[in-house]
Amino acid sequence: MNDEEYNIEYFKEHELIRKKCEKCGTYYWTRDNDRKTCGDAPCDIYSFIGEPIFKERSVEQIRESFLSFFESHGHTRLKRYPVVARWRDDIYLNIASISNFQPFVTAGKVPPPANPLVISQPCIRLEDLESIGKTGRHLTAFEMMGHHAFNKRGEEREETGEIYWKNDTVRYCDEYLRQLGVDMDGVTYKEAPWVGGGNAGPSLEVITSGLELATLVFMDLKLSPLGQIDIKGQLYDKMDTYIVDTGYGLERFVWASKGSPTVYDAIFPDMIKELINAAGIVHPLETHHELIIENARLSGAMSRREIAKRFGISPKELKTILGPIESVYAVSDHTKCLAFMLADGIVPSNAKEGYLARLVLRRAFRMLKSLNIAIPLEELVLKQIKTLKNSFPELEDSVDRIVEIVALEKSRYDDTLLKGGRIVKQLAKQSKLKAQKIHIDTLIDLYDTHGLPPEFVSEVASTQGIAVDIPENFYSLVASMHGEEQKTAREPLLDGLKEKTE
Ligand SMILES: [Zn+2]
């Protein structure tokens, strides 16, 4: 992408300089003459752990500060859209605030509900399911705060004029961060050309203390066989529209303001306390304080193996220390994800979005069992709704339905395991006779056809003396096989469609 794309007037006026990261080679903009790296992990570590970036704020405070900031700058505040993307042909779940306006608004075929607008959109992404609870930063359910401006070229632009483009987008970002009390000398704007779903455009990642807080995408290109712009071997042309697509990570702002070891500690403190008590464990922050803080600071920059080595322990020992709290984190996350999924009308099943809800439900059942927690899952989902009800009162309308669905799913799950035990035992005996392993395809088939999680297969098979290797990304794998990718593969992408990926 042309360097000129990032030659933004605001940067010059405010004396930001363009530098090249000494570690990754990416270009970024900064106010700090002495800076050597782009500020992002893994080039920089999470230096905000234990040292918050600005004054502590709650989820509600950050959300309101963002929405009202943009309201006071001429944006119309919109209510959230559902987390199940029924208006989309290519995805099941709502994965970004811009998803609400794709494909027709972004393609310029339907006018936007307001222009410019601001929204805080609950989103669900399951592609990093295994990372939930482990990396400290991944969430299945998160709110993407976004301000969007939809500009048109040509005649229509002459009528209405430009809403705004790069200059104001960067200015708003700078002003919002400054208002929160962020030290602007530590903020970098990293150039990160964005490509996806048939579209492309320049984009800036907004980073401080190793943490990416926001992404500012300037979506203005579409794939075109005769296009004039070559990006990674693909030809693009300008779209008839050019769109400001921003994503500010609500939970990340809260995390940065608290400096907690993980995003989960920052946003789910009560749920974590309750689960820890119920499981009869102690937060490793109390037993292994130094290790936990150091692990949190390094987790964006180093692998588990490297971190264990640094502490002179084996990866297995590290896993023993972190395993239970990671399950607690994951249950905290999954119960919020389920609150939105079920309240927005998803019914667990073996197909489409129902499959994805069942996947999350069964992971949560399994983790509660591994923690020896007897609290029914539906109670925990209701607890999440109680926490969320001031911001999303509509969730409360579905309480009875949710209790019924989760309890029913649990009894189905128990039945499945009862029957599954026999199937797996048989299979393990056969494998033993043939001196074969249980293959990944078999694990996927056992999960898809019989609903048996690989951990359960492994447990039962080990009683027959058969060891099972479970791929680390098993759940992400099945989620992607049955989720977004399948829907995308079936339906061709429409003009003006794109997904923002991390
Ligand atoms: Zn870098």
Short mmCIF file of all heavy atoms in Angstrom, two decimals, residues 21 23-26 37-38 43, ligand 1:
data_model
loop_
_atom_site.label_atom_id
_atom_site.label_comp_id
_atom_site.label_asym_id
_atom_site.label_seq_id
_atom_site.Cartn_x
_atom_site.Cartn_y
_atom_site.Cartn_z
N CYS A 21 9.79 0.22 13.14
CA CYS A 21 10.05 -0.61 14.33
C CYS A 21 11.36 -1.39 14.14
O CYS A 21 11.54 -2.07 13.13
CB CYS A 21 8.89 -1.57 14.57
SG CYS A 21 9.18 -2.69 15.96
N LYS A 23 12.25 -3.96 15.70
CA LYS A 23 12.06 -5.40 15.84
C LYS A 23 11.28 -6.01 14.68
O LYS A 23 11.67 -7.03 14.14
CB LYS A 23 11.37 -5.73 17.16
CG LYS A 23 12.31 -5.53 18.35
CD LYS A 23 11.75 -6.18 19.60
CE LYS A 23 12.72 -5.97 20.77
NZ LYS A 23 12.08 -6.23 22.05
N CYS A 24 10.13 -5.44 14.32
CA CYS A 24 9.30 -6.08 13.29
C CYS A 24 9.32 -5.37 11.94
O CYS A 24 8.80 -5.87 10.96
CB CYS A 24 7.86 -6.24 13.78
SG CYS A 24 6.97 -4.69 13.93
N GLY A 25 9.93 -4.18 11.90
CA GLY A 25 10.06 -3.49 10.61
C GLY A 25 8.82 -2.73 10.16
O GLY A 25 8.80 -2.17 9.06
N THR A 26 7.78 -2.72 11.00
CA THR A 26 6.54 -2.00 10.64
C THR A 26 6.72 -0.50 10.88
O THR A 26 7.39 -0.10 11.81
CB THR A 26 5.38 -2.50 11.52
OG1 THR A 26 5.39 -3.92 11.53
CG2 THR A 26 4.04 -2.00 11.02
N THR A 37 10.60 0.89 19.10
CA THR A 37 9.72 -0.21 18.68
C THR A 37 8.28 0.28 18.52
O THR A 37 7.90 1.32 19.05
CB THR A 37 9.74 -1.35 19.72
OG1 THR A 37 9.53 -0.78 21.01
CG2 THR A 37 11.06 -2.09 19.71
N CYS A 38 7.48 -0.55 17.83
CA CYS A 38 6.12 -0.13 17.46
C CYS A 38 5.16 -0.07 18.64
O CYS A 38 4.07 0.48 18.52
CB CYS A 38 5.58 -1.06 16.38
SG CYS A 38 5.37 -2.77 16.94
N CYS A 43 6.71 -7.09 20.12
CA CYS A 43 7.86 -6.17 20.14
C CYS A 43 8.00 -5.50 21.51
O CYS A 43 9.10 -5.22 21.96
CB CYS A 43 7.72 -5.13 19.04
SG CYS A 43 7.60 -5.85 17.39
ZN ZN B 1 7.21 -3.95 16.08
#
